[in-house]
Amino acid sequence: YEIRKDENKVFCDKIGVEFVDVDYDVENWYSRMKGMEYDPERGRRCTECFDMRMERTALYAHEHGFDSIATTNATSRWKDATQVDDSGQRAASRYEGLSYWAYDWQSDEMTLRKYQISAEHRFYKQEYCGCSYSLRDSNDWRKANGIPKIQIGGDTAGLGERYFSDPLTDAAEESQDVVDEFFAQANELADTAGADRTERKKALEVYKSRRKH
């Protein structure tokens, strides 16, 4: 979180945009996620997580005279655009005159452009979504399949490159078929094993050939 926030500050300075630091409440986050610790990505926990962030964004926008809000979460195919947009629209609807900017950021053209910018500025490549439960699940899967665990910070990633450098390769890793395959497997794992750690570890071997690590 701190690595990516600092990187955002540097980028904002480069393009002349003010960076507003509105940190989230970690204890509140864990409280809101209670009971959803083993939900799959794109499940209820992600909705609650988006809601928490968009609510804070909308409040700041309302208090400081902004008329529109948006989020980079909507640009990633690893996120459900409808799920993200719904959170943004719910948050904006709390305040008169505030709207949420919904746009199709996940097209092939926009995905490639995103990675072109990321490579141009050599952005840090995070190996999981950022949620501690995603970190846990990703490392469990890697351990079960003999893959080095996720490395946070430093110049060396647990798997692949630490920084974005090749837009075409990075865009291919976020192709729709790769994303769809990942979530089909994630949902099957959640349905069959649930919160049972023993059953989850058994099931992880089934997905050793998946293309997203």
Side-chain angles (χ1 to χ4, degrees), residues 155-172:
D155 290 327
T156 304
L159 181 69
E161 301 294 327
R162 166 52 72 217
Y163 302 99
F164 289 103
S165 60
D166 186 334
L168 293 177
T169 297
D170 292 324

Side-chain angles (χ1 to χ4, degrees), residues 49-104:
C49 186
F50 295 146
D51 282 349
M52 181 176 175
R53 282 153 177 72
M54 295 309 299
E55 287 164 11
R56 187 66 186 89
T57 301
L59 174 61
Y60 183 91
H62 170 69
E63 292 177 336
H64 293 82
F66 291 93
D67 60 11
S68 183
I69 59 175
T71 173
T72 56
N73 277 322
T75 70
S76 173
R77 287 174 173 165
W78 296 110
K79 307 300 182 187
D80 183 327
T82 300
Q83 186 181 33
V84 174
D85 289 343
D86 284 349
S87 287
Q89 289 161 355
R90 278 194 299 274
S93 69
R94 293 177 169 218
Y95 306 102
E96 185 177 356
L98 183 64
S99 64
Y100 171 78
W101 184 19
Y103 185 81
D104 181 14

Side-chain angles (χ1 to χ4, degrees), residues 149-206:
K149 70 178 183 178
I150 288 169
Q151 296 296 315
I152 300 174
D155 290 327
T156 304
L159 181 69
E161 301 294 327
R162 166 52 72 217
Y163 302 99
F164 289 103
S165 60
D166 186 334
L168 293 177
T169 297
D170 292 324
E173 290 177 354
E174 198 180 318
S175 67
Q176 198 61 58
D177 65 321
V178 172
V179 172
D180 290 345
E181 175 187 79
F182 173 86
F183 284 109
Q185 294 173 349
N187 289 329
E188 183 178 350
L189 175 61
D191 290 341
T192 58
D196 188 316
R197 295 298 297 272
T198 300
E199 291 303 313
R200 289 175 69 86
K201 288 180 179 179
K202 290 179 182 178
L204 289 172
E205 175 65 21
V206 174

Side-chain angles (χ1 to χ4, degrees), residues 4 75-79 105-126 163-175 179 212:
R4 300 181 81 183
T75 70
S76 173
R77 287 174 173 165
W78 296 110
K79 307 300 182 187
W105 304 103
Q106 296 185 13
S107 66
D108 289 344
E109 293 79 8
M110 293 301 293
T111 297
L112 178 58
R113 181 60 183 142
K114 173 179 65 176
Y115 286 121
Q116 287 172 336
I117 294 172
S118 296
E120 177 185 352
H121 295 276
R122 202 167 177 263
F123 285 151
Y124 175 85
K125 185 185 286 189
Q126 185 163 279
Y163 302 99
F164 289 103
S165 60
D166 186 334
L168 293 177
T169 297
D170 292 324
E173 290 177 354
E174 198 180 318
S175 67
V179 172
K212 171 64 177 176

